[in-house]
Amino acid sequence: MTAKNKNKNAGVGPLKGIRVIELGSTVAGPFCARLMADFGADVIKVEQPEGDAVRSMGTRRDGQSLYGASIFRNKRLVSVNMRQEEGRQLVRQLCLGADIVVENFRPGTLERWGLGYEDLSEKNPGLVLVRISGFGQTGPYSSRSGYGVVGEAVSGLREITGDPDRPPPRVATSLTDYITGLYGAFGAMMALVERNRTGLGQVVDSALYESAFSFMEPHVPAYQQMGIIAQRAGSRLPGNTPNSIYPTGDNRFVVIAAASDPVFRRLASVIGKPGLAEDPKFVTAVARAENEDDCDGFITEWTRSKSVEEIENELLAANVPAARIYTMEDIFDDPQFQARDMLVDLEDPALGDITVAGVVPKLSGTPGEIWRAGAQCGEDTYEVLAQELGLSPDQISQLESRSIIMGPQKAHGQTKSKNKNLKQPAGASK
């Protein structure tokens, strides 16, 4: 049913050879780095001993985070106690060998830890530091803590979400965190392009409230020019009619977007009222927007008389953009998702086969790939410290005994260590 990814090799894609250190937590930072990992970057995620907060979010099965299996995919996971100086020094060494560092601590935290951009770029001038925060690194609100929902509130985006006669709801996912992570990854790619010209890195400052505010684009000049304050409009897109959801005869909902004149003429014909396209109230897009209640009323009368499948078939046959409101069950049954590898099966030691969302966007020449499900906290601690920092098994054991680092079993409350059989890498320090 789903696309089975059998590739076991890391670092496949256009970002192969790019080293990313992820210091972020929860959603925005991990998603930002996950995008890079999907396209071949070598992402080393550093977690505190208690694990990333996202491991306690969403659905769990047998104590395992299903969310983490997806958002931590394609990454090497190490557990380092950054609250201790020795832990911070280990992280500093990793960062000095990195192309990109992603962090979403409160502004000033990295500086207090000696891991700020000035500290790191002194020895790694090509470093790109992606900084994700609630309100950015500057300005009077920069010291405030912030989550995505707070950013949505301040941006105005939350105010225009939902029905006008109800409080503004949220989308049942961390929408603004994802938007901000995406902007952070986009900024990092631009910074790498600039580094190719100058050899110098820079800071990418990605703020939650600004990322959400960027989606308010049409409402900014409307307020400045005409004093119009955008309001909640329910399922409609203001000034664009018909463009809404409509109830069906089998208690589902269908989206119909037919605001342009040619498409509306086709819609009017399908619903058996071709004369609507000549009615002065509906003949133009502007007229329809001014009479949206009447326009939607005719469409609703038709959709209520049919099943969602009948509506889709008739509208798509007439080339009218429409779709049922999909549930996750619909998505898993849909051939488009399968054909484009948007449902990818992975093998997980704890969960067995697990399906995760596929890679976006699709590149024709160097596509991204998913080669590993998100592993356990500290899964790769020993290997990364040995291979990347040249630490010996004894050094690693000493760090673990002082709770500076944790391996996978220790990080989950067990005391047995796996690093006894760790081979000494070539050139490792004694």
Side-chain angles (χ1 to χ4, degrees):
M1 181 185 67
T2 56
K4 188 71 174 180
N5 192 322
K6 296 184 179 298
N7 178 44
K8 301 297 183 183
N9 298 315
V12 175
L15 297 181
K16 182 177 181 179
I18 297 296
R19 169 68 56 78
V20 180
I21 306 301
E22 179 197 314
L23 306 181
S25 65
T26 317
V27 178
F31 175 67
C32 177
R34 193 267 275 174
L35 291 172
M36 302 179 205
D38 280 356
F39 288 95
D42 175 21
V43 177
I44 299 175
K45 175 176 177 58
V46 179
E47 292 183 76
Q48 297 281 33
E50 64 270 21
D52 193 306
V54 83
R55 294 187 184 276
S56 62
M57 296 171 61
T59 306
R60 298 169 66 80
R61 178 187 169 198
D62 299 330
Q64 304 297 317
S65 170
L66 302 184
Y67 200 166
S70 182
I71 202 168
F72 300 152
R73 71 197 195 197
N74 291 352
K75 302 175 184 179
R76 294 193 283 167
L77 306 181
V78 303
S79 179
V80 178
N81 189 345
M82 293 181 65
R83 299 181 184 93
Q84 297 194 43
E85 180 58 28
E86 282 186 273
R88 294 194 289 271
Q89 287 303 316
L90 292 174
V91 171
R92 177 183 176 83
Q93 292 178 59
L94 289 173
C95 292
L96 292 181
D99 298 284
I100 300 169
V101 171
V102 178
E103 66 97 9
N104 60 344
F105 295 105
R106 187 179 296 193
T109 300
L110 287 190
E111 283 73 15
R112 290 195 302 273
W113 286 349
L115 296 171
Y117 188 72
E118 296 299 325
D119 297 300
L120 297 177
S121 64
E122 184 178 355
K123 292 187 176 180
N124 184 3
L127 179 68
V128 173
L129 177 61
V130 178
R131 312 201 71 171
I132 296 173
S133 62
F135 296 93
Q137 302 298 312
T138 60
Y141 296 171
S142 61
S143 63
R144 290 186 184 181
S145 58
Y147 285 95
V149 289
V150 177
E152 288 171 26
V154 174
S155 73
L157 185 63
R158 192 69 172 270
E159 173 61 19
I160 64 169
T161 302
D163 295 313
D165 59 343
R166 299 182 183 182
R170 68 167 298 154
V171 178
T173 190
S174 300
L175 178 64
T176 293
D177 294 274
Y178 281 103
I179 296 169
T180 309
L182 182 59
Y183 274 127
F186 176 51
M189 297 305 101
M190 291 190 290
L192 288 183
V193 171
E194 178 65 13
R195 190 182 72 173
N196 286 339
R197 288 193 283 260
T198 66
L200 298 176
Q202 58 185 294
V203 174
V204 177
D205 187 351
S206 190
L208 291 161
Y209 90 100
E210 290 170 353
S211 299
F213 179 68
S214 71
F215 282 27
M216 296 289 289
E217 184 174 20
H219 303 296
V220 175
Y223 175 74
Q224 184 269 326
Q225 290 284 313
M226 302 180 66
I228 297 173
I229 298 176
Q231 303 292 324
R232 292 188 290 286
S235 60
R236 291 170 170 169
L237 181 63
N240 195 270
T241 303
N243 188 336
S244 188
I245 62 171
Y246 303 89
T248 71
D250 53 353
N251 297 315
R252 296 288 299 270
F253 288 95
V254 62
V255 167
I256 300 175
S260 72
D261 293 342
V263 178
F264 181 72
R265 285 194 291 269
R266 296 197 294 269
L267 172 64
S269 179
V270 171
I271 69 174
K273 297 183 181 296
L276 291 178
E278 307 302 326
D279 189 318
K281 293 169 62 178
F282 310 121
V283 69
T284 66
V286 173
R288 288 190 295 277
E290 293 173 347
N291 296 278
E292 57 186 359
D293 286 341
D294 291 340
C295 186
D296 282 345
F298 286 115
I299 300 170
T300 298
E301 181 181 3
W302 178 75
T303 60
R304 285 190 185 278
S305 70
K306 295 179 178 291
S307 70
V308 69
E309 187 171 357
E310 291 173 325
I311 293 168
E312 281 184 326
N313 290 339
E314 292 185 39
L315 292 181
L316 294 179
N319 197 23
V320 175
R324 71 186 70 188
I325 301 294
Y326 274 46
T327 66
M328 192 56 67
E329 183 179 12
D330 293 320
I331 289 171
F332 268 70
D333 289 339
D334 191 273
Q336 181 70 10
F337 282 84
Q338 297 172 30
R340 292 190 42 95
D341 290 345
M342 283 310 299
L343 295 170
V344 178
D345 282 347
L346 300 171
E347 294 179 4
D348 183 86
L351 297 167
D353 283 355
I354 182 167
T355 303
V356 300
V359 176
V360 180
K362 312 297 184 186
L363 273 62
S364 62
T366 53
E369 251 185 292
I370 306 173
W371 57 272
R372 181 194 198 187
Q376 301 303 308
C377 180
E379 184 76 20
D380 307 297
T381 300
Y382 307 142
E383 288 79 3
V384 167
L385 295 182
Q387 295 170 6
E388 307 302 334
L389 301 186
L391 300 187
S392 69
D394 286 344
Q395 290 173 311
I396 291 173
S397 293
Q398 290 173 15
L399 289 169
E400 188 172 35
S401 70
R402 299 196 302 276
S403 298
I404 305 299
I405 65 168
M406 287 189 180
Q409 294 176 319
K410 186 69 174 294
H412 291 279
Q414 301 180 28
T415 56
K416 184 179 178 181
S417 174
K418 286 171 54 181
N419 71 342
K420 302 301 183 184
N421 297 321
L422 189 66
K423 294 182 179 179
Q424 180 79 6
S429 59
K430 298 293 184 180

